Amino acid sequence: MNPAPAAAPSCLVTGKPLEKIFSFGRMPIANGFLAPEQFADEYFFELAIGFNPESRMLQLTERVDERKMFHENYAFFSSTSAYMQRHFAEFAAKVSEAYLGESADPFVVEIGSNDGIMLQNFAARGVRHLGIEPSANVAAKAREKGIRTVSEFFDEKLAERIVAEHGQADAFLGANVMCHIPYIHSVFEGVKKLLKPKGVFAFEDPYLGDIVQKTSYDQIYDEHVFYFSAASIGFVAAAHGLELVAVEPQSVHGGSMRYVLSHRGARPVDASVRRQEDIERFLGLDRPETYVKFGRAVERSRDALMALLDDCRKKGRRVAGYGATSKSTTVTNFCGITPQHVEFISDTTPIKQGKFSPGAHIPVRPYEDFVKNRPDYALLFAWNHAAEIMAKEREFVAAGGRFILYVPQVGIEP
Ligand code: DWN
Ligand code: SAH
């Protein structure tokens, strides 16, 4: 197996030493679905979090090389959720109304544009756009939809090239990607160069406050290097002459935050920023002890889930996973869930089907198998899409099927 890097961890924002607060142990690549002949060579690293009080940044202490995670066989396709398609249509409409009106020929750039779930809304309105998506297979899907996409990793250098080729942008957007990039200073410097003087930088990511309050520890995996708050984003922005001008909580992905930034002084700072920073202090997000407590809550959650799954096994109840999410890689490996607990995981994404889940090696099967061979319980690994999935699964419930949830508490529904 690959050796773990020996270097002592340091904060990716301040460069100062970073203390490990909680370790989930050895973890595989969250989206590294694999075939049996690949089991012997599976890559593992130590998944652990540390907190830097100066920057207020919760972050991974060890990281996986980005090229091991984002490549031509990336397993996550954004458009698998109809709800998320509507969410990004609304995000795009809001940006158009609020920020593009003043420009005669607006230009929108999106980082981590995946299969074009957000940019398709700008393309449909004839807005000049550019997607930046290093995972070649999902980028190809976007191009099929007529979305202009460069398949590279965004950093300061790429930003300079984009400016030279296309000019500066009115809006630089991102969803569930900023928290993936360890070289955060290069990204922010790139954004600064790319944005017009009145341009906006709007992005959203899973929110640290929700992760702590709901014990949604499965948001912690290799791809998620950072767990952002208004305070930590404000800190990074200030180092680059940028300013956090508004925040807006979002319900998606189990609780996210949308951050709006501009060049310092270019736009008025909305009251939402101060309000959120007050909430964060109230939640103790600025104190390391909060994350020590979080670690204990994570262990309690694991114990409760395993007690329930062991009970199902003893009683001969069949359990299948619902949604082969990245998050489920943390849950299965941290809790010790095996194919004896969960027979298979149902997922609608073709590239995941017929493979095995990372580390735990639970078979991933097409959704049709779930319908044909309904289990007694569906362990909802895609709990963030619960509303969409429950609405789709009325027949499963009517036939006596039940969902096992573990966020915010372990329990059975309905
Ligand atoms: O940040 C990230 C988010 C946006 O997406 C990435 N790092 C990776 C990925 O995380 P995830 O895999 O935890 O995302 P989801 O959206 O929770 O994944 C849902 C999975 O469930 C997909 O594989 C599709 C599948 N699914 C399904 O089988 N039936 C989803 C729905 C809604 C369904 O009805
Ligand atoms: N924005 C989409 C996709 C999120 S998944 C959504 O919210 O559903 C994260 C995406 O970011 C992946 O498609 C990955 O390839 C991409 N990504 C990772 N590092 C990146 C970087 N440095 N620059 C641009 N995109 C990156």
Side-chain angles (χ1 to χ4, degrees):
M1 294 283 155
N2 49 287
S10 56
C11 170
L12 289 162
V13 180
T14 61
K16 300 201 178 135
L18 182 70
E19 208 185 308
K20 199 186 291 177
I21 291 192
F22 185 80
S23 176
F24 293 86
R26 274 161 50 83
M27 281 287 154
I29 306 268
N31 269 309
F33 296 90
L34 68 180
E37 56 272 22
Q38 297 171 303
F39 288 174
D41 295 327
E42 196 168 8
Y43 180 89
F44 286 89
F45 71 107
E46 188 196 1
L47 182 71
I49 46 172
F51 179 73
N52 173 258
E54 187 187 346
S55 61
R56 312 263 200 273
M57 194 69 90
L58 188 76
Q59 55 198 288
L60 297 186
T61 58
E62 191 182 311
R63 285 161 308 277
V64 172
D65 186 323
E66 61 188 358
R67 285 157 305 185
K68 277 193 163 46
M69 300 186 284
F70 310 116
H71 41 61
E72 65 286 357
N73 289 312
Y74 187 52
F76 177 69
F77 285 71
S78 301
S79 297
T80 40
S81 160
Y83 186 90
M84 290 310 295
Q85 297 204 33
R86 286 199 296 279
H87 172 77
F88 286 119
E90 281 164 28
F91 190 166
K94 216 161 176 178
V95 168
S96 295
E97 275 160 38
Y99 306 116
L100 301 186
E102 293 160 28
S103 182
D105 176 25
F107 179 41
V108 176
V109 179
E110 190 196 355
I111 178 171
S113 45
N114 200 275
D115 59 9
I117 191 167
M118 168 115 79
L119 284 181
Q120 64 194 7
N121 299 289
F122 292 101
R125 292 188 185 99
V127 174
R128 206 151 60 84
H129 62 271
L130 185 66
I132 301 153
E133 178 43 69
S135 297
N137 59 335
V138 293
K141 198 85 183 171
R143 288 200 195 102
E144 279 168 26
K145 296 184 196 165
I147 295 154
R148 197 158 182 180
T149 308
V150 283
S151 196
E152 285 183 55
F153 289 96
F154 181 83
D155 61 5
E156 189 182 349
K157 287 227 159 61
L158 181 60
E160 286 167 2
R161 272 165 47 209
I162 294 171
V163 174
E165 220 176 293
H166 304 272
Q168 286 180 310
D170 296 85
F172 183 80
L173 309 178
N176 308 299
V177 58
M178 289 297 295
C179 73
H180 294 55
I181 312 177
Y183 39 94
I184 191 166
H185 288 301
S186 174
V187 171
F188 269 69
E189 206 48 37
V191 175
K192 187 187 171 177
K193 290 184 174 164
L194 192 49
L195 275 191
K196 284 184 184 168
K198 291 281 277 179
V200 292
F201 171 25
F203 69 93
E204 56 190 45
D205 278 296
Y207 181 55
L208 179 60
D210 287 288
I211 294 172
V212 168
Q213 282 191 292
K214 297 174 189 163
T215 320
S216 44
Y217 66 91
D218 57 350
Q219 289 291 3
I220 300 172
Y221 55 89
D222 53 0
E223 293 184 21
H224 290 177
V225 171
F226 295 113
Y227 307 89
F228 293 145
S229 61
S232 61
I233 289 303
F235 185 93
V236 179
H240 298 278
L242 295 168
E243 190 169 36
L244 181 60
V245 296
V247 293
E248 201 187 322
Q250 306 290 320
S251 64
V252 295
H253 289 302
S256 297
M257 188 62 75
R258 185 174 299 163
Y259 305 91
V260 182
L261 296 93
S262 68
H263 289 288
R264 187 186 295 137
R267 290 178 180 270
V269 178
D270 188 76
S272 56
V273 175
R274 169 68 79 80
R275 202 162 51 228
Q276 200 63 39
E277 286 170 353
D278 287 345
I279 292 171
E280 291 174 358
R281 270 188 294 275
F282 177 76
L283 293 176
L285 299 188
D286 54 344
R287 293 197 300 271
E289 308 85 80
T290 302
Y291 307 102
V292 175
K293 262 198 237 157
F294 169 73
R296 284 191 215 113
V298 170
E299 287 170 341
R300 284 196 296 275
S301 172
R302 172 195 62 195
D303 296 346
L305 179 59
M306 287 319 286
L308 204 163
L309 291 176
D310 283 332
D311 190 50
C312 287
R313 196 155 69 139
K314 269 186 223 128
K315 291 182 176 147
R317 305 275 193 267
R318 291 181 50 230
V319 181
Y322 199 113
T325 56
S326 321
K327 297 181 289 290
S328 70
T329 295
T330 295
V331 177
T332 52
N333 289 282
F334 175 65
C335 297
I337 298 173
T338 67
Q340 279 71 52
H341 298 101
V342 172
E343 216 176 284
F344 66 94
I345 307 174
S346 158
D347 199 288
T348 54
T349 316
I351 195 173
K352 296 181 185 177
Q353 297 164 356
K355 297 203 177 124
F356 289 78
S357 74
H361 301 162
I362 301 167
V364 181
R365 302 230 183 98
Y367 174 61
E368 293 67 34
D369 286 20
F370 177 85
V371 177
K372 271 191 272 169
N373 189 14
R374 285 204 174 103
D376 300 302
Y377 293 99
L379 174 53
L380 192 53
F381 287 131
W383 56 267
N384 48 309
H385 301 301
E388 177 175 355
I389 291 170
M390 302 266 190
K392 219 165 30 186
E393 298 303 342
R394 291 207 183 93
E395 262 185 52
F396 168 65
V397 172
R402 294 289 175 266
F403 285 97
I404 297 175
L405 282 117
Y406 50 87
V407 174
Q409 273 102 233
V410 172
I412 293 173
E413 278 191 37

